[in-house]
Amino acid sequence: IDESNALDSWILVDGAHNEPAAVELRKYVDTTLRRVNQQRYIHATRGRSFKDVPHIRWIIGFTQGKDMKAILSKLVFAGDSIWAVPFSQPDEMPWISCTDPKDIEKAVQGLECSEHVQVTTFGSLSDALDRLASEKSDSHLTVACGSLYLAANLYRELHIDPFQESMRSKVVSLTKVKSKGREGRAEVMREVEEAASTYDYVWVFSVHNMRNQYLKTVRNDFKTSRFFFGSNRVIAKALGKDPESEIRPNMHKIGNALVGEVGLLFTNESPDAVKKAFGSFEADDYPRSGTIATYKVVVSSGEVVRGYTKETFPNNMEPELRELGMPTLLQNGKITISSDYVICEDGDKLTPNQCRLLKHFWEKMAVFKINLICHLNRNGDFVQLVENGSADSDSDSDNDKEMK
């Protein structure tokens, strides 16, 4: 409708046509609002009138037979507006019929927030789009949903091909990394061998609570050095697995120390400088699923707040908190709980729901930290700082003992 980048010129099209889909759509829309205009959103939810709250214009059409009240109760909050529209009869599908917009209006009247929801009915989707194009929106976002047939009708009205290449979603696996192949592994081995011949020291380190953004900070502090993460077997093969195949004296001990999630650092910095830099860098972050809780977190009864400043939650967060397991209630526009709620106990192995709650309550329980395991200098002096699985070592029981 509008080529500008203003958010109120966008239409979010979603096929949500049942209760679970409506919950997820509302959750996504709320996240979008907070990201795009977080400051206004925060201020608008602190006891101001509904007209100040960033709200949604819903363009909604339903197939006959849907439980409209149940779906609308998950989608529509006080301050939102609804444009009820019909959709065109699908070709060769006479059994599909759209709901009369007047019936959608009646369903809205059964909602608890109906007094604060404005409903407008249209004779066609085209009429609604013409009005949307001709007036300035006071909403942050326009969302079309309720039926896949409505979505298809909208694409036709706007002359959009949803299957063209530029709009097609691309599936990217986050759990599997495509193999680099023989040539890629040979290139990694070549780079490792080159770094081993260039730098005076090579270190093996592990990362506790890995976070890429913090690792980038560490890399920036060692811009003249080289970091390697990848297949331990490939890197160990480049370094040498035994005294006969090693590329530098005692380098096979570095290769044997590559156990688990570890990395290599090639540098000319002195051991004291590396220990000081790595030992002083820590960063707090939110825990991920499987992390062990380091302390107990309890939400006190009454109005639900978070942080040292006792920040309140926006009232449209109540469904999500309840979905995550909190027995919340919405009373006078405030999210409350009747008794203390324990999010986690000290020592708990955190579940995904617990992690999401901890993030909502600003509890940064994970600590990013780099642990130095061992290092080797150009003369072949190998120093084991801590044991790491099957790391080869001729050391006595004392840590930090130098070997030759």
Side-chain angles (χ1 to χ4, degrees), residues 2-3 18 106 115 133 178 190 204 227 276 281 293 324 327 350 371 376 398:
D2 190 337
E3 294 295 327
N18 53 41
K106 292 178 183 178
E115 294 181 1
K178 187 177 180 180
R190 186 194 64 78
V204 178
F227 286 83
K276 182 178 179 180
F281 186 86
L324 293 175
L350 297 175
N371 303 309
L376 178 75
D398 295 332

Side-chain angles (χ1 to χ4, degrees), residues 51-237:
K51 65 182 179 63
D52 295 325
V53 180
H55 57 270
I56 311 301
R57 172 185 284 120
W58 299 95
I59 299 178
I60 293 181
F62 288 114
T63 304
Q64 284 188 3
K66 293 292 182 179
D67 188 347
M68 294 185 291
K69 183 178 177 181
I71 297 172
L72 290 169
S73 67
K74 305 298 183 184
L75 279 177
V76 182
F77 286 15
D80 292 352
S81 61
I82 293 178
W83 287 8
V85 299
F87 54 79
S88 302
Q89 178 67 43
D91 294 336
E92 299 180 2
M93 300 179 72
W95 60 89
I96 299 295
S97 299
C98 67
T99 300
D100 191 302
K102 292 295 183 181
D103 291 335
I104 298 177
E105 184 178 23
K106 292 178 183 178
V108 174
Q109 293 172 359
L111 301 180
E112 293 183 0
C113 61
S114 60
E115 294 181 1
H116 305 288
V117 176
Q118 182 180 0
V119 183
T120 306
T121 59
F122 292 85
S124 68
L125 176 60
S126 178
D127 292 343
L129 295 178
D130 288 342
R131 177 169 170 181
L132 186 64
S134 63
E135 69 177 33
K136 179 65 177 177
S137 169
D138 60 353
S139 302
H140 275 68
L141 188 62
T142 298
V143 183
C145 66
S147 172
L148 292 171
Y149 303 110
L150 174 65
N153 202 166
L154 188 145
Y155 283 133
R156 287 195 299 269
E157 289 286 345
L158 297 180
H159 306 290
I160 296 173
D161 179 5
F163 300 104
Q164 66 187 28
E165 184 64 25
S166 61
M167 297 184 65
R168 187 175 299 156
S169 298
K170 296 182 178 179
V171 179
V172 179
S173 173
L174 301 180
T175 58
K176 294 183 180 180
V177 179
K178 187 177 180 180
S179 174
K180 293 182 178 180
R182 185 186 299 272
E183 293 182 0
R185 292 191 292 271
E187 177 65 17
V188 171
M189 293 178 64
R190 186 194 64 78
E191 291 180 358
V192 170
E193 291 171 358
E194 181 179 337
S197 63
T198 302
Y199 294 94
D200 293 335
Y201 295 92
V202 55
W203 292 77
V204 178
F205 63 89
S206 63
V207 181
H208 185 60
N209 290 311
M210 178 67 169
R211 302 291 190 273
N212 284 335
Q213 67 269 31
Y214 302 135
L215 189 60
K216 287 181 180 178
T217 302
V218 176
R219 285 177 181 268
N220 289 334
D221 293 338
F222 287 83
K223 289 184 177 179
T224 59
S225 304
R226 285 294 307 272
F227 286 83
F228 286 91
F229 287 93
S231 170
N232 289 342
R233 288 191 299 174
V234 173
I235 296 176
K237 184 176 180 180

Side-chain angles (χ1 to χ4, degrees), residues 3 5 11 19 42 73-74 95 122 165 179 205 237-238 256 258 260 276 278 282 294-295 308 321 331 363 386 391 399:
E3 294 295 327
N5 289 323
I11 298 180
E19 279 190 75
I42 290 174
S73 67
K74 305 298 183 184
W95 60 89
F122 292 85
E165 184 64 25
S179 174
F205 63 89
K237 184 176 180 180
N256 290 339
L258 298 176
K276 182 178 179 180
F278 282 34
E282 291 186 1
T294 55
Y295 53 87
Y308 294 112
L321 294 178
Q331 298 180 334
E363 296 289 345
V386 295
N399 283 342

